[in-house]
C-alpha cells in the first residue's frame, strides 16, 4: 500500500491510500481543484479515488466532499449521523453516492474498519485500513484512545496519528481558558505526549513508519511535535521514522 497526506491542519485535511487495485481519500477539507492537483503532483489521479471516507463533519475535513462527489461521481462513506450533517454543510449530492457505514466494509481489495473516537462531533470515526496483509491505522481528532482502539490498531505497519498541541504552548497561548479546556479535554485533541504514549503502547515489530498530523498553528509547531514524538519513541526502544503531515505542504509518499 501507499499513503500520503495532501494536507493536515485546521485549514484543511485530506489523505490518500492506494492499494493494488483501489484508492481512497480519508476526508477532504480542500477544494476540488487543489485535491486534484496535489494527487497529480504525487503521481496519482482523481480517477484513482474509488471512495471518499469521512471521519467527522467539521468543515476542515469535509469542505471538498460535495464537490468531489458531484463532479467526479466519487462514492462517499460515513455513518448516518455524520453524513446528514455533512450534506447540510456542503450541499447535497446524489443519494446513490451515499454509503452508510458502521461495520467493516470493502473498497476493492481494501478492508476498512471504522472505530469510534472521542471528539466534539456527532459520531466521529477513525479507520483501520487493511490490504495484502498490511495495516494502516488512522487516528485523528480524538481527545483519548480507548482500549478497543489500542487492541484494534495494535502492531500496524503504518500509523497516522494527530499530534495537535504542546501543553505548555496551549497554556501560554492565545486561546481562552474554555477553549484550552476543550482542546485538551476528553472530546478534543491529542497532545504531542499523548500521541507518543499511544504509539509506544500500540506499535510492534511490523511497524515501519509513523506520520503525525493535525498540528496546531497556535499551540504547537511541526519541529517540536516531531522531536517530542521521536524522542519518546527512541527512549522506549523504537527506531521508526516519524514523518510530518503539514498544513502547508503535501507529504512524501510512503510505501509499506
Amino acid at each position: 500500500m501507499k499513503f500520503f497526506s495532501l494536507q493536515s491542519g485546521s485549514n484543511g485535511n485530506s489523505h490518500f491510500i492506494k492499494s493494488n487495485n483501489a484508492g481512497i481519500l480519508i476526508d477532504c477539507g480542500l477544494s476540488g481543484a487543489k485535491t486534484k492537483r496535489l494527487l497529480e503532483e504525487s503521481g496519482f489521479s482523481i480517477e484513482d479515488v474509488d471512495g471518499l471516507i469521512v471521519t467527522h463533519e467539521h468543515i476542515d475535513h469535509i469542505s471538498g466532499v460535495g464537490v468531489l462527489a458531484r463532479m467526479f461521481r466519487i462514492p462517499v462513506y460515513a455513518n448516518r449521523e455524520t453524513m446528514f450533517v455533512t450534506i447540510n454543510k456542503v450541499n447535497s449530492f446524489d443519494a446513490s453516492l451515499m454509503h452508510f457505514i458502521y461495520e467493516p466494509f470493502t473498497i476493492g481489495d481494501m478492508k476498512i474498519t471504522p472505530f469510534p473516537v472521542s471528539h466534539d462531533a456527532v459520531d466521529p470515526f477513525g479507520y483501520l485500513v487493511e490490504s495484502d496483509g498490511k495495516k494502516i491505522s488512522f487516528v485523528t481528532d480524538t481527545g483519548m484512545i480507548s482500549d478497543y482502539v489500542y487492541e484494534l490498531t495494535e502492531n500496524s505497519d503504518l500509523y497516522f496519528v494527530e499530534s495537535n498541541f504542546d501543553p505548555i504552548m496551549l497554556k501560554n497561548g492565545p486561546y481562552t481558558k474554555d477553549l484550552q479546556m476543550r482542546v485538551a479535554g476528553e472530546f478534543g485533541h491529542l497532545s504531542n505526549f499523548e500521541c507518543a504514549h499511544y504509539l509506544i503502547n500500540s506499535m510492534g515489530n511490523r511497524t515501519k513508519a509513523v506520520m503525525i498530523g493535525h498540528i496546531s498553528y497556535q499551540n504547537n509547531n511541526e519541529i517540536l511535535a516531531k522531536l517530542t514524538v521521536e524522542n519518546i519513541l527512541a527512549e522506549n526502544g523504537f527506531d521508526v521514522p516519524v514523518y510530518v503531515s503539514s498544513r502547508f505542504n503535501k507529504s512524501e509518499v510512503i510505501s509499506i
Side-chain angles (χ1 to χ4, degrees):
M1 285 195 291
K2 294 182 178 181
F3 176 92
F4 91 100
S5 176
L6 286 72
Q7 185 174 299
S8 182
S10 58
N11 57 325
N13 297 271
S14 190
H15 317 275
F16 183 68
I17 299 175
K18 184 77 169 69
S19 65
N20 289 328
N21 65 19
I24 60 171
L25 280 174
I26 299 182
D27 289 335
C28 187
L30 317 178
S31 71
K34 185 172 185 179
T35 301
K36 184 174 182 292
R37 174 175 61 82
L38 291 175
L39 285 169
E40 291 170 351
E41 288 178 359
S42 293
F44 303 104
S45 165
I46 196 68
E47 284 76 27
D48 292 326
V49 181
D50 300 298
L52 202 169
I53 302 170
V54 179
T55 60
H56 65 292
E57 76 282 3
H58 290 167
I59 199 67
D60 55 322
H61 294 259
I62 64 165
S63 62
V65 169
V67 171
L68 292 185
R70 289 188 295 270
M71 289 186 62
F72 301 105
R73 303 292 299 173
I74 297 174
V76 178
Y77 297 78
N79 61 55
R80 186 175 299 273
E81 292 80 0
T82 297
M83 185 77 78
F84 287 163
V85 179
T86 294
I87 61 177
N88 285 329
K89 287 186 174 184
V90 301
N91 297 324
S92 187
F93 44 87
D94 193 327
S96 67
L97 298 173
M98 300 180 191
H99 297 265
F100 301 117
I101 48 103
Y102 289 92
E103 303 297 328
F105 62 101
T106 59
I107 297 177
D109 60 350
M110 292 190 202
K111 177 186 176 184
I112 303 159
T113 303
F115 53 83
V117 293
S118 180
H119 196 53
D120 56 354
V122 291
D123 195 6
F125 275 168
Y127 293 97
L128 174 68
V129 182
E130 299 174 273
S131 181
D132 196 27
K134 305 293 177 62
K135 295 170 58 175
I136 296 176
S137 289
F138 191 88
V139 185
T140 187
D141 291 75
T142 185
M144 58 170 288
I145 306 291
S146 69
D147 291 342
Y148 173 70
V149 173
Y150 272 109
E151 181 179 354
L152 182 67
T153 62
E154 182 180 13
N155 202 15
S156 294
D157 295 86
L158 170 67
Y159 290 88
F160 181 94
V161 189
E162 73 165 355
S163 191
N164 182 257
F165 68 95
D166 173 77
I168 295 176
M169 289 185 67
L170 177 65
K171 181 179 179 180
N172 296 324
Y175 284 8
T176 65
K177 292 299 182 184
D178 285 348
L179 188 51
Q180 289 179 24
M181 291 175 62
R182 178 258 169 186
V183 170
E186 180 180 348
F187 299 101
H189 293 279
L190 297 179
S191 71
N192 299 336
F193 297 97
E194 290 166 327
C195 169
H197 182 269
Y198 161 64
L199 287 167
I200 64 175
N201 287 282
S202 186
M203 291 165 55
N205 56 13
R206 65 188 281 174
T207 304
K208 300 174 181 64
V210 167
M211 185 177 290
I212 58 173
H214 217 306
I215 296 169
S216 172
Y217 187 68
Q218 292 86 3
N219 306 304
N220 206 357
N221 66 66
E222 294 177 6
I223 295 173
L224 176 61
K226 178 178 169 67
L227 288 176
T228 301
V229 173
E230 282 181 333
N231 288 341
I232 294 174
L233 295 188
E235 289 168 0
N236 285 272
F238 290 100
D239 183 18
V240 173
V242 177
Y243 300 89
V244 173
S245 174
S246 172
R247 68 170 50 239
F248 304 111
N249 301 296
K250 60 185 176 60
S251 77
E252 61 186 275
V253 178
I254 301 174
S255 298
I256 59 169

